[in-house]
């Protein structure tokens, strides 16, 4: 093993590249493969992204149990927030039999636990196994391009009134389509679209989470063509008006507000200067948009969606008074009809997980954002600090948006939110692992071929000929005609790095 190869191994810790690859597969499955298409035997959690996320949890558990990964000394606040949500869910699940749930509610409670397992797998692998800046950036780039794909589908839906999702379902042989997909919806004179999500609100809220991350990536990868850098920003930005969602408008103010505050002065001024033109372009290209949004915001009780929300508060108070602390079990609240749907994740959690569960949910949304801001404070490198600000804005947007719809009932939102939370944990650990922050994007792409050459070289079997009888007996001299320098070292096995152990993931 040459010294240069050993240094590359030190820069690229074993397991990080594998984790990055699997996480990118997860992001692809969450955005490209419809989440309303499931394996019927498994049920609502049988969509591809859920299956991949549960495999991620199994991989994390195996590496921890067999000593390939040390979770005890790999600490980050996001895991504590996730653990609190787990404690709340397990206590609520244990208390569930006292409220005599029917078979449908028991199955729904099991689906909630499966969702929690999948979210945990994504969060833990992203936070603890993305050990290099290059792998972190690759996952962020895939997340942005996944959102861009959903935006392209939405543009086709909005302008051509043609849906690509039925054709995407054809890729999933053996899967069955559920009834979660709502298709096109009307709001006043506009058509609400959902891209590859299951509902326009879910679609719009995901766009508000990804928009600051997409802007950061465009600033960071300055060597790429302008169309490749800013194309995803434009597409994801268009998702917000195309969803015709009040929740998206509220959440994007939060996400971009946090992100702009965390930007360097020059980039902050650039965003503030361009934003008004983008808003004007949206209103100019979408006739009737402003009238529809303003009328929906100030509609008051004349809007049925608002009256349903207000009418549900007395029902929620009645349910919570019966099980105030631990709730009835995660996922057990099943609305008897559309007017009883709780468009508020906090109210839904109050019924299912109790007041302790609501506290755990608030901690789950708030702690990752604070974690990213702490990582930003610990670093002096501008690119890394801006990425932490974008992730903090995305987490807070998810928390604010969850007040306006039952967010964890929508699988694509749960997938994207878990990915963002995991990236916050990775940045927290990266603030101490990477004292110089993120290297330039050109340097990251220049190192990738070198890493592949080192990995392929390590997989090759040793080319040294078998030792002769004289060498095996004495170990002091090489066979006649063979240079001494070609023999394997006694202290360094062939094909293994002297600095790091074998693959840890």
């Amino acid at each position: 093993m040459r010294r240069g190869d050993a240094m590359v191994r030190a820069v690229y810790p074993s397991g990080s590249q594998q984790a990055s690859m699997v996480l990118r597969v997860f992001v692809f499955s969450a955005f490209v493969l419809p989440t309303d298409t499931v394996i019927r035997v498994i049920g609502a959690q049988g969509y591809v992204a859920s299956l991949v996320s549960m495999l991620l949890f199994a991989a994390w558990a195996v590496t921890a149990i067999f000593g390939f990964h040390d979770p005890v000394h790999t600490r980050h606040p996001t895991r504590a927030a996730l653990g609190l949500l787990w404690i709340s869910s397990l206590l609520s699940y244990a208390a569930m039999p006292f409220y005599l749930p029917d078979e449908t509610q028991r199955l729904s409670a099991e689906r909630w636990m499966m969702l929690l397992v999948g979210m945990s797998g994504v969060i833990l692998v992203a936070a603890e196994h993305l050990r290099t800046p290059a792998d972190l950036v690759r996952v962020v780039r895939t997340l942005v391009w996944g959102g861009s794909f959903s935006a392209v589908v939405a543009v086709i839906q909005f302008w051509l009134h043609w849906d690509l999702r039925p054709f995407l379902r054809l890729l999933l042989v053996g899967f069955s389509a559920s009834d979660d997909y709502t298709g096109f919806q009307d709001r006043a004179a506009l058509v609400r679209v959902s891209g590859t999500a299951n509902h326009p609100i879910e679609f719009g809220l995901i766009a508000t989470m990804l928009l600051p991350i997409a802007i950061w990536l465009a600033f960071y990868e300055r060597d790429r063509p302008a169309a490749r850098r800013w194309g995803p920003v434009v597409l994801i930005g268009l998702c917000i008006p195309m969803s015709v969602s009040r929740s998206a408008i509220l959440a994007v103010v939060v996400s971009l507000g946090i992100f702009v505050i965390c930007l360097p002065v020059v980039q902050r001024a650039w965003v503030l200067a361009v934003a008004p033109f983008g808003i004007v372009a949206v209103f100019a290209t979408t006739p009737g948009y402003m009238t529809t949004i303003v009328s929906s915001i100030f509609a008051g009780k004349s809007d049925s969606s608002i009256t349903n929300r207000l009418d549900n508060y007395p029902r929620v108070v009645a349910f919570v008074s019966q099980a105030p602390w631990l709730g009835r079990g995660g996922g057990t609240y099943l609305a008897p009809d559309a007017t009883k749907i709780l468009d508020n994740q906090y109210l839904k959690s109050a019924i299912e997980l109790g007041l302790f569960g609501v506290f755990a949910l608030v901690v789950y949304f708030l702690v990752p954002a604070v974690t990213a801001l702490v990582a930003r404070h610990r670093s002096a490198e501008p690119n890394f600090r801006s990425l932490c600000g974008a992730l903090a804005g995305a987490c807070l947007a998810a928390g604010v948006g969850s007040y306006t719809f039952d967010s964890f009932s929508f699988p694509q939102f749960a997938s994207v939110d878990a990915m963002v939370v995991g990236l916050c944990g990775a940045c927290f650990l990266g603030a101490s692992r990477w004292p110089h922050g993120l290297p330039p994007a050109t340097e990251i792409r220049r190192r990738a071929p070198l890493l592949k050459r080192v990995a392929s070289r390590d997989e090759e079997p040793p080319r040294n000929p078998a030792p002769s009888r004289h060498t095996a007996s004495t170990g002091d001299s090489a066979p006649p005609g063979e240079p001494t320098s070609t023999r394997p070292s006694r202290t360094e096995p062939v094909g293994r790095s002297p600095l790091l152990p074998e693959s840890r993931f």
Side-chain angles (χ1 to χ4, degrees):
M1 173 70 67
R2 296 183 300 179
R3 183 176 299 274
D5 296 350
M7 293 182 65
V8 171
R9 286 290 189 187
V11 173
Y12 292 88
S14 55
S16 181
Q17 190 179 24
Q18 293 93 325
S20 173
M21 179 187 66
V22 180
L23 288 171
R24 283 179 284 169
V25 171
F26 167 76
V27 173
F28 171 85
S29 62
F31 279 107
V32 177
L33 303 178
T35 55
D36 64 336
T37 306
V38 302
I39 296 178
R40 185 63 65 181
V41 176
I42 299 177
Q45 289 300 124
Y47 55 95
V48 178
S50 175
L51 301 177
V52 175
S53 65
M54 287 188 281
L55 288 176
L56 281 168
F57 181 81
W60 179 86
V62 167
T63 58
I65 292 172
F66 290 95
F68 296 106
H69 170 61
D70 184 10
V72 176
H73 296 92
T74 309
R75 301 172 183 172
H76 50 100
T78 51
R79 190 171 65 192
L82 177 65
L84 187 63
L85 188 60
W86 263 107
I87 292 172
S88 170
S89 298
L90 290 174
L91 291 176
S92 179
Y93 190 83
M96 181 178 63
F98 293 99
Y99 299 97
L100 304 177
D102 57 29
E103 183 65 22
T104 304
Q105 289 176 315
R106 285 195 294 268
L107 292 175
S108 183
E110 293 174 0
R111 287 196 295 269
W112 167 256
M113 301 305 294
M114 293 173 66
L115 174 65
L116 202 55
V117 168
M119 292 169 56
S120 302
V122 175
I123 293 171
L124 295 174
V125 171
E128 300 175 13
H129 286 277
L130 291 178
R131 303 188 181 105
T132 71
D135 292 318
L136 176 69
V137 171
R138 290 189 187 101
V139 173
V140 170
R141 186 186 302 120
T142 306
L143 188 63
V144 170
W145 281 98
S148 303
F149 176 82
S150 180
V152 170
V153 175
V155 168
I156 296 174
Q157 293 171 342
F158 190 81
W159 294 106
L160 301 181
H161 300 280
W162 183 71
D163 193 2
L164 186 62
R165 284 174 60 104
F167 298 93
L168 295 176
R169 293 192 187 99
L170 298 178
L171 301 174
L172 301 174
V173 180
F175 287 67
S176 302
S178 66
D179 298 328
D180 295 337
Y181 182 56
T182 57
F184 299 96
Q185 294 185 5
D186 294 328
R187 170 165 282 181
L190 298 178
V191 176
R192 306 177 71 187
V193 297
S194 57
T196 57
N198 288 342
H199 194 276
I201 299 179
E202 178 190 23
F203 173 66
L205 188 56
I206 290 173
T208 64
M209 297 170 63
L210 295 182
L211 184 58
I213 302 175
I215 296 174
W216 173 84
L217 188 65
F219 280 134
Y220 178 65
E221 296 187 319
R222 300 175 184 174
D223 60 311
R224 290 183 180 271
R228 295 183 62 181
R229 294 165 55 203
W230 296 104
V233 175
V234 174
L235 288 171
I236 294 175
L238 287 174
C239 295
I240 298 171
M242 287 189 297
S243 67
V244 197
S245 170
R246 295 166 295 197
S247 305
I249 294 177
L250 177 63
V252 76
V253 172
V254 175
S255 64
L256 286 184
I258 299 297
F259 175 60
V260 169
I261 293 174
C262 295
L263 281 175
V265 175
V266 176
Q267 295 178 350
R268 186 188 311 158
W270 191 92
V271 172
L272 293 176
V274 173
F277 294 96
I279 296 174
V280 171
V282 168
F283 291 143
T285 57
T286 312
Y289 180 76
M290 176 174 282
T291 303
T292 301
I293 289 297
V294 172
S295 61
S296 64
I297 292 176
F298 297 100
K301 293 185 178 181
S302 62
D303 190 334
S304 59
S305 65
I306 295 178
T307 56
N308 287 337
R309 285 177 168 90
L310 296 176
D311 292 342
N312 281 325
Y313 275 91
R315 299 179 58 255
V316 172
V317 172
F319 274 113
V320 173
S321 63
Q322 298 172 9
W325 300 111
L326 300 181
R328 299 168 170 267
T332 55
Y333 177 79
L334 303 176
D337 56 72
T339 62
K340 304 299 188 298
I341 295 176
L342 298 178
D343 289 319
N344 187 319
Q345 183 59 46
Y346 299 99
L347 296 182
K348 193 171 187 291
S349 296
I351 295 175
E352 297 175 347
L353 305 179
L355 298 180
F356 179 61
V358 174
F359 172 74
L361 184 65
V362 172
V363 171
Y364 174 81
F365 283 128
L366 186 61
V367 167
V370 176
T371 299
L373 294 177
V374 170
R376 178 182 182 273
H377 177 72
R378 292 181 176 179
S379 177
E381 199 272 317
N383 290 321
F384 185 78
R385 287 168 57 87
S386 298
L387 174 60
C388 291
L391 294 173
C395 290
L396 291 177
V400 171
S402 295
Y403 183 77
T404 62
F405 85 124
D406 47 331
S407 55
F408 285 143
S409 300
F410 296 88
Q412 193 175 94
F413 169 86
S415 300
V416 174
D417 182 64
M419 190 75 257
V420 172
V421 171
L423 292 175
C424 290
C427 288
F428 180 84
L429 296 173
S432 57
R433 289 172 175 170
W434 316 322
H436 301 293
L438 299 179
T442 52
E443 184 177 347
I444 287 179
R445 283 192 289 275
R446 187 166 59 245
R447 286 181 181 177
L450 178 59
L451 175 63
K452 292 180 181 179
R453 290 198 300 269
V454 173
S456 62
R457 188 184 300 117
D458 286 349
E459 294 173 358
E460 294 179 359
R463 298 183 180 179
N464 297 12
S468 64
R469 187 179 307 169
H470 174 74
T471 304
S473 61
T474 64
D476 294 329
S477 60
E482 181 183 347
T484 305
S485 60
T486 60
R487 291 183 298 153
S489 170
R490 292 183 179 181
T491 60
E492 182 181 330
V494 175
R496 300 178 68 179
S497 169
L499 299 182
L500 293 168
E502 291 290 316
S503 176
R504 290 184 178 268
F505 184 79

